[in-house]
Amino acid sequence: MFEHQLASRATGLKPSAVRELLKHSKLPGVISLGGGIPAPELFDNEGIQLAVQQVMASQFQEAMQYSLSEGYPPLRQAIADICRARGVACDASQVYITSGSQQSLDIVARTLLNPGDVVVVERPTYLAALQVFQLAQANIQSVDTDEDGMLVEQLADLVQTSPVKVVYLVPTFGNPGGKTLSEPRRRRLVELAKQHGFIIVEDDPYGEISFTDERPQPLYQHAMALGCTDQVIYTSTFSKILAPGMRVGWLVMPEWLANKAIIVKQATDLHTSTLSQQITAQYLSLNRLPAQIALIREDYRKKCETLASALEAKLGDHLAFSRPKGGMFLWAHFRYPFNATEWLKKTLENRVVFVPGEAFYNDAPDVTTLRLSYSTVSHEGLVEAVDRLAKSL
Amino acid sequence: MFEHQLASRATGLKPSAVRELLKHSKLPGVISLGGGIPAPELFDNEGIQLAVQQVMASQFQEAMQYSLSEGYPPLRQAIADICRARGVACDASQVYITSGSQQSLDIVARTLLNPGDVVVVERPTYLAALQVFQLAQANIQSVDTDEDGMLVEQLADLVQTSPVKVVYLVPTFGNPGGKTLSEPRRRRLVELAKQHGFIIVEDDPYGEISFTDERPQPLYQHAMALGCTDQVIYTSTFSKILAPGMRVGWLVMPEWLANKAIIVKQATDLHTSTLSQQITAQYLSLNRLPAQIALIREDYRKKCETLASALEAKLGDHLAFSRPKGGMFLWAHFRYPFNATEWLKKTLENRVVFVPGEAFYNDAPDVTTLRLSYSTVSHEGLVEAVDRLAKSL
């Protein structure tokens, strides 16, 4: 639901049009490929219920009380273990709990950036990150992407002429593009950071949701090899692999940044919900997360396949795209000049919703693009959605 | 615990000294009059457990999912009812859920303030508000207080010479001063706002925790009478009357501000924990909050009386203070030149902790002042704490 808010605002639609859109998307029968939200029927009802019961039974007063801005210590420890398994070899003392990835980005931006500082993002990029950098009054510059993610050589040119302070990217199964940065580019990006002294913000909400057994090395891991982890900020979240409603994410930060960032976190909300943190820690101690991730990977993989196949069959002459290897999004573009934002009004009449791609550009939007999310729609729904899209042409 | 963090940072103690202080305060046997935290044994275990069970049983998927930035609609409605009972006659559409009062202030500051804007606070004032306004790079100015709260005539002089944009205050049972702004001053303050066009931020976390049946009218209510509610932002929280660990607070904002503030809220953390919001809404529907507030009022009233009486008996020649009529804090000052921050090191040796008053000043700190919190200490503990303070002189 909130993704519609975001997208509609980002596309510049007026509040009345937003409300109209929301009204439509709530009507029974509308199929939404718009929201970047996880499938609620996959939430681990049994496991989360158990964790909640255990917290409420044995940690009630603690769960209801104020807690440390840095986060609940057992959760920081459990997350450090998760990070290490991903190749982000950090200690619990480097893990800081946030109220989701969105807050991670906001805290980093507020801590690091002064007005006018140059922040480089991908073209296209996660639109809520754009909002954060805009709020920080950064000078946002974009670097193009292709099938292998950010064109790092374009960045190499940019740093020659521009005092780049921060490079922000979602290197694995990105939002909205669904692309993964190749290993050679990962290494080159980190080398550039070391050489030119900029900071990399590695946003990794989807890395675990892989449809294959391939696992790219985190940028953080490359930075370890090159001895420059002081220049990499890693952020991730439980929103896509456990549940977003509890708002629990985290930052792995170098000490020089953490000392300042924790003061910003404190001023922001004192600390993340103690209850959410304790439930999450308790859940992790049940050791059910690996099975839960496997379930999500398999479910989204099948849905993605359904959507991609239907699009190829029904809209292959109109839309071009590459099949995602993980994550929640399929990014497509029209094969000819076409305004996807205008088209949305028409597809709404046929009761199917997506997010126009232009929302995800800081500049020079490609209006032929669109983002289709498959995570919350059934097999039949996805097939029907593509039929409706085809009818809208 | 976090209050020690805050206080220590605000007093300029180094991280090592902070850790030392935290270490001391965690030692068994240390009595803390430092933390501004509610008494955990008063949390409504039965009621909250019931609310949690009901949410987990019947709203599981919704509670775990993303939700609207504005807040969970039934909670917004329930809060509007609470507000109306307090004299803040607002509609649910004017209520915006935040992750606690701290976030309310941060969102307001980020939405309203540009660097250099003049913000007036009380001397002394809530120190985490100072942090927020400092982060916003505001030009912070202070107005003195006496037994009846802010010296509004001093403000009237200030607005003649200074382009005041925002006046921030905790008008009822303030933190740290424990003072309540008198009715004539409330009216005069709102008149000044109307006349000079500044915004009032009315922070009301403690208003319900009254030790008498007197209830001052909210500034918002005065603004209604004067037809200028567009200039008053009202914020409150469940932290002191229900439980802080869930991080649920709210803002009542005029529409012109809300439209911008909601974009900031979105960029900050998308939305407040859905789970926390639904538990809070469910709890409110049980209609147990009035009894809970009555319990807290009576408990804190007794503790306050114990502390005040012990201080008068044992330290009356050294400390001057007036008895709080509500809230969680007793504000005192030495009758002679004395540095309370220095004294803290000595009282720590005798294993009793408080917050030195100088932390709460934006400028010209009165180092003879100190804040004593009684909410979490037993009757015997309070008597013993005062003995230890007396021994430390």
Side-chain angles (χ1 to χ4, degrees):
Chain A
M1 197 183 293
F2 84 102
E3 280 273 349
H4 295 154
Q5 279 187 348
L6 282 175
S8 305
R9 281 184 183 123
T11 50
L13 291 172
K14 289 189 180 158
S16 57
V18 174
R19 274 193 293 274
E20 192 61 19
L21 184 66
L22 281 171
K23 206 174 75 187
H24 275 287
S25 69
K26 274 181 188 164
L27 281 176
V30 167
I31 303 174
S32 175
L33 305 174
I37 66 177
E41 68 276 13
L42 298 185
F43 293 156
D44 182 3
N45 194 318
E46 189 183 318
I48 297 173
Q49 298 275 3
L50 196 59
V52 169
Q53 282 161 22
Q54 290 171 347
V55 167
M56 294 302 287
S58 65
Q59 305 165 36
F60 172 74
Q61 286 188 5
E62 199 187 350
M64 292 294 140
Q65 189 57 285
Y66 285 117
S67 56
L68 293 168
S69 299
E70 289 84 350
Y72 179 53
L75 181 59
R76 297 175 78 191
Q77 183 58 59
I79 289 174
D81 296 342
I82 289 173
C83 283
R84 276 194 292 273
R86 293 182 185 179
V88 176
C90 65
D91 187 78
S93 67
Q94 294 165 270
V95 174
Y96 295 84
I97 310 299
T98 64
S99 305
S101 278
Q102 184 69 36
Q103 189 180 64
S104 296
L105 298 183
D106 191 48
I107 287 173
V108 166
R110 294 178 78 182
T111 309
L112 268 181
L113 299 177
N114 295 310
D117 280 348
V118 176
V119 174
V120 175
V121 300
E122 295 164 282
R123 180 188 284 125
T125 190
Y126 175 50
L127 67 90
L130 281 181
Q131 288 188 315
V132 163
F133 297 133
Q134 282 160 1
L135 263 183
Q137 299 179 271
N139 173 357
I140 305 172
Q141 304 202 10
S142 300
V143 163
D144 289 317
T145 57
D146 65 11
E147 286 313 297
D148 288 332
M150 180 182 269
L151 295 177
V152 174
E153 289 311 315
Q154 205 179 93
L155 175 67
D157 290 344
L158 186 62
V159 294
Q160 297 296 335
T161 57
S162 190
V164 172
K165 187 162 186 177
V166 168
V167 174
Y168 166 79
L169 71 176
V170 185
T172 309
F173 317 132
N175 179 2
K179 304 298 184 295
T180 294
L181 193 66
S182 67
E183 287 294 351
R185 287 191 192 173
R186 284 174 190 246
R187 183 168 174 101
R188 175 75 170 130
L189 172 61
V190 176
E191 280 169 358
L192 283 173
K194 188 174 181 180
Q195 195 180 338
H196 295 276
F198 60 78
I199 308 297
I200 295 172
V201 178
E202 177 174 23
D203 188 1
D204 185 28
Y206 311 106
E208 301 261 25
I209 308 175
S210 174
F211 301 156
T212 70
D213 289 330
E214 274 175 63
R215 283 298 154 87
Q217 281 185 41
L219 299 170
Y220 191 94
Q221 198 170 357
H222 285 277
M224 281 165 50
L226 292 169
C228 60
T229 50
D230 259 18
Q231 288 172 247
V232 177
I233 299 162
Y234 177 86
T235 176
S236 188
T237 175
F238 290 106
S239 291
K240 306 303 192 286
I241 54 175
L242 182 59
M246 291 192 284
R247 310 305 304 127
V248 180
W250 70 90
L251 279 163
V252 177
M253 288 187 281
E255 197 181 346
W256 66 267
L257 181 70
N259 294 338
K260 296 175 197 165
I262 202 65
I263 293 171
V264 174
K265 167 66 178 168
Q266 220 170 45
T268 297
D269 61 4
L270 297 182
H271 61 82
T272 293
S273 162
T274 320
L275 179 63
S276 290
Q277 291 188 70
Q278 296 204 348
I279 292 170
T280 304
Q282 192 64 32
Y283 180 84
L284 294 175
S285 76
L286 300 175
N287 204 25
R288 296 172 66 109
L289 188 64
Q292 180 60 18
I293 290 172
L295 184 76
I296 292 168
R297 287 172 63 188
E298 184 57 12
D299 184 79
Y300 290 4
R301 187 188 63 72
K302 283 184 195 158
K303 286 171 173 169
C304 180
E305 205 170 284
T306 298
L307 176 63
S309 299
L311 285 171
E312 279 164 7
K314 299 281 175 67
L315 285 163
D317 293 343
H318 305 276
L319 288 176
F321 62 91
S322 60
R323 289 190 174 224
K325 291 176 182 155
M328 295 166 56
F329 306 109
L330 187 150
W331 179 252
H333 65 90
F334 277 87
R335 295 180 182 278
Y336 43 81
F338 190 87
N339 188 317
T341 307
E342 288 300 312
W343 191 43
L344 178 59
K345 291 168 193 162
K346 210 161 167 190
T347 68
L348 259 173
E349 286 171 22
N350 289 322
R351 302 199 296 178
V352 58
V353 181
F354 61 88
V355 182
E358 68 171 315
F360 302 98
Y361 289 81
N362 179 54
D363 53 29
D366 180 350
V367 297
T368 71
T369 57
L370 58 164
R371 192 192 75 178
L372 304 167
S373 170
Y374 41 80
S375 52
T376 55
V377 188
S378 69
H379 178 84
E380 296 70 28
L382 288 165
V383 171
E384 173 66 22
V386 173
D387 279 347
R388 293 182 187 180
L389 287 175
K391 253 183 249 166
S392 308
L393 276 175
Chain B
M1 195 184 293
F2 84 102
E3 281 274 351
H4 295 152
Q5 278 186 350
L6 283 176
S8 305
R9 282 186 180 121
T11 52
L13 291 173
K14 288 188 183 158
S16 56
V18 173
R19 275 193 293 274
E20 192 60 19
L21 184 67
L22 281 170
K23 206 175 75 184
H24 274 289
S25 69
K26 275 183 188 168
L27 281 176
V30 167
I31 304 173
S32 175
L33 306 174
I37 67 177
E41 68 276 13
L42 298 184
F43 293 154
D44 183 1
N45 194 318
E46 190 183 317
I48 296 173
Q49 298 275 5
L50 196 59
V52 169
Q53 282 160 23
Q54 290 172 346
V55 166
M56 293 303 285
S58 65
Q59 304 164 38
F60 172 74
Q61 287 189 4
E62 198 186 353
M64 292 294 140
Q65 189 56 285
Y66 285 117
S67 57
L68 293 168
S69 300
E70 290 83 350
Y72 178 54
L75 181 60
R76 297 174 78 190
Q77 184 57 59
I79 289 173
D81 296 343
I82 289 173
C83 282
R84 276 194 291 274
R86 293 181 184 179
V88 176
C90 65
D91 185 78
S93 66
Q94 294 165 269
V95 174
Y96 294 84
I97 309 298
T98 64
S99 304
S101 279
Q102 184 69 35
Q103 189 180 67
S104 296
L105 298 183
D106 191 47
I107 287 173
V108 166
R110 294 178 79 181
T111 309
L112 268 182
L113 298 178
N114 295 309
D117 280 349
V118 176
V119 174
V120 175
V121 301
E122 297 165 280
R123 181 189 281 123
T125 189
Y126 174 49
L127 66 89
L130 281 182
Q131 287 188 317
V132 164
F133 297 134
Q134 281 159 1
L135 261 185
Q137 299 179 272
N139 173 358
I140 305 172
Q141 305 203 10
S142 299
V143 162
D144 289 318
T145 56
D146 66 11
E147 286 314 297
D148 288 330
M150 179 181 267
L151 294 177
V152 175
E153 289 311 315
Q154 207 179 89
L155 174 68
D157 291 344
L158 185 63
V159 294
Q160 297 297 332
T161 58
S162 190
V164 173
K165 187 161 184 178
V166 168
V167 174
Y168 167 79
L169 71 176
V170 184
T172 309
F173 316 132
N175 178 4
K179 305 298 184 294
T180 295
L181 192 67
S182 67
E183 288 294 349
R185 288 191 190 172
R186 285 174 188 246
R187 184 171 175 97
R188 174 75 169 128
L189 172 62
V190 176
E191 281 170 357
L192 283 173
K194 187 174 182 180
Q195 196 179 338
H196 295 276
F198 60 78
I199 309 297
I200 295 173
V201 178
E202 176 173 27
D203 188 3
D204 185 27
Y206 312 105
E208 301 261 25
I209 308 175
S210 174
F211 302 155
T212 71
D213 290 328
E214 274 175 62
R215 283 296 154 90
Q217 280 185 41
L219 298 170
Y220 191 96
Q221 198 170 359
H222 285 277
M224 281 164 51
L226 293 168
C228 59
T229 50
D230 260 16
Q231 288 172 248
V232 178
I233 299 162
Y234 177 87
T235 176
S236 188
T237 175
F238 290 106
S239 291
K240 306 302 192 285
I241 54 176
L242 181 57
M246 291 192 284
R247 310 304 305 126
V248 180
W250 70 89
L251 279 163
V252 176
M253 288 188 280
E255 197 181 345
W256 66 268
L257 180 70
N259 293 338
K260 297 175 198 166
I262 202 66
I263 293 171
V264 175
K265 167 66 179 168
Q266 222 171 42
T268 297
D269 61 4
L270 297 183
H271 61 82
T272 293
S273 163
T274 320
L275 178 64
S276 291
Q277 292 188 69
Q278 296 203 349
I279 293 170
T280 305
Q282 192 64 31
Y283 180 85
L284 294 174
S285 77
L286 300 174
N287 206 23
R288 296 172 67 109
L289 188 64
Q292 181 59 17
I293 290 172
L295 183 76
I296 292 168
R297 288 172 62 188
E298 184 57 12
D299 183 79
Y300 291 3
R301 187 188 62 73
K302 282 184 195 158
K303 287 171 172 168
C304 180
E305 204 170 285
T306 298
L307 177 63
S309 297
L311 286 171
E312 278 164 8
K314 300 280 175 65
L315 284 163
D317 293 343
H318 304 276
L319 287 175
F321 62 91
S322 61
R323 290 191 173 225
K325 290 177 181 154
M328 296 167 56
F329 305 109
L330 187 149
W331 180 251
H333 65 91
F334 278 86
R335 295 181 182 277
Y336 43 81
F338 190 86
N339 188 316
T341 306
E342 289 299 313
W343 191 44
L344 178 58
K345 293 168 193 164
K346 209 163 170 187
T347 68
L348 259 174
E349 288 171 22
N350 290 321
R351 300 200 297 177
V352 58
V353 180
F354 60 89
V355 182
E358 68 171 315
F360 302 97
Y361 289 82
N362 179 54
D363 53 28
D366 180 349
V367 297
T368 71
T369 57
L370 58 163
R371 192 193 76 175
L372 304 167
S373 170
Y374 41 80
S375 51
T376 55
V377 189
S378 68
H379 178 84
E380 295 71 27
L382 288 164
V383 171
E384 173 65 21
V386 173
D387 279 348
R388 293 181 187 181
L389 287 175
K391 255 184 246 166
S392 309
L393 277 174

